[in-house]
Amino acid sequence: MPETTAARTPVDFWFDPLCPWAWMTSRWMLEVEKVRDVEVRWHVMSLAVLNEDKLDELPAEYREMLEKKAWGPVRVVTAAWQKHGQEVVGPLYTALGTRIHNKGEGTTPEAVAGALADVGLPAELMEYHDQEDFEFDAELRASHREGIEKVGQEVGTPVIAVPGEDGEQIAFFGPVVTPAPQGEEAARLWDGTLAVASVPGFYEIKRTRTKGPDFSNLV
């Protein structure tokens, strides 16, 4: 793990650029950085890896999305991480998410190439987008596995790991929220997340989603 600035609370965040819910949770965490002494450490995970052993059980539309749209962006982020360091992961994710979700460009090669340009990373990283024998597959899977092993198998993205009792990290799927909370609302949700993490036997709060992803308050 990269070092964290002194006196700031580390939060580890696993994302797949494809997921709109992870995107909104990530924007919430950036808001939390403004109002609480926390520092987010960004890590890749993959919905394609998560579901690769159960593709036959998935709805056809979701299966097709994973097979055709999920691999490219996460490969490029992983390659950028491996070739240019952990510090590029967060900015590249922001550039990708802004194009994919806020601007509605989707997970097209053009959107991924544009995100690389937005953060000054070399266009040559696009070589990894469709690389089926992916050079950094082991590193991608190791990062994915680290997040999943913290939270359990029956989840998706995002995964966040926060300080729990006695400072030991506790991981959760979520929080799933729309739109992304800002300002003091973001702070209250963060404080609540720490509160439930401090209870050793706490596992889950959930209700049915009645709204889709809302990016209207994101630039």
Side-chain angles (χ1 to χ4, degrees):
M1 296 280 184
E3 294 183 1
T4 301
T5 305
R8 302 189 76 189
T9 300
V11 181
D12 290 294
F13 191 110
W14 282 264
F15 67 90
D16 184 320
L18 179 71
C19 180
W21 299 102
W23 172 244
M24 283 184 292
T25 305
S26 74
R27 300 311 91 181
W28 162 65
M29 279 308 315
L30 289 185
E31 284 289 311
V32 174
E33 281 191 324
K34 299 176 185 178
V35 293
R36 294 291 186 268
D37 289 330
V38 305
E39 183 173 356
V40 183
R41 304 185 295 198
W42 304 99
H43 311 276
V44 289
M45 65 180 296
S46 170
L47 290 171
V49 171
L50 184 69
N51 291 285
E52 64 183 351
D53 293 332
K54 50 186 176 183
L55 287 175
D56 292 341
E57 304 170 15
L58 301 176
E61 183 177 357
Y62 188 58
R63 182 172 65 247
E64 183 178 10
M65 178 186 69
L66 292 178
E67 291 175 336
K68 295 184 177 181
K69 298 181 179 180
W71 285 108
V74 78
R75 284 173 178 154
V76 171
V77 176
T78 303
W81 160 39
Q82 290 299 303
K83 295 177 77 71
H84 298 279
Q86 180 73 35
E87 65 273 12
V88 307
V89 176
L92 180 54
Y93 180 36
T94 289
L96 279 167
T98 299
R99 285 180 172 271
I100 292 169
H101 304 297
N102 294 7
K103 295 182 178 180
E105 296 179 18
T107 55
T108 62
E110 293 77 13
V112 178
L116 289 172
D118 291 341
V119 295
L121 286 168
E124 287 77 11
L125 287 168
M126 284 301 295
E127 296 174 4
Y128 297 96
H129 187 277
D130 297 316
Q131 190 181 73
E132 292 188 8
D133 188 15
F134 180 43
E135 181 178 344
F136 302 111
D137 187 67
E139 290 80 1
L140 168 59
R141 290 174 184 273
S143 179
H144 173 91
R145 184 169 57 251
E146 182 183 15
I148 289 297
E149 286 180 349
K150 286 179 178 291
V151 73
Q153 295 296 320
E154 298 304 317
V155 300
T157 178
V159 170
I160 63 171
V162 305
E165 188 179 32
D166 299 325
E168 180 180 354
Q169 276 196 326
I170 302 295
F172 296 113
F173 163 61
V176 175
V177 61
T178 185
Q182 298 179 340
E184 281 307 307
E185 185 178 43
R188 289 196 303 273
L189 181 55
W190 170 250
D191 293 342
T193 301
L194 290 185
V196 297
S198 72
V199 178
F202 175 82
Y203 292 101
E204 184 175 5
I205 292 177
K206 190 171 183 178
R207 62 174 178 165
T208 300
R209 299 177 200 170
T210 57
K211 297 180 181 179
D214 179 357
F215 311 122
S216 61
N217 68 340
L218 301 178
V219 177

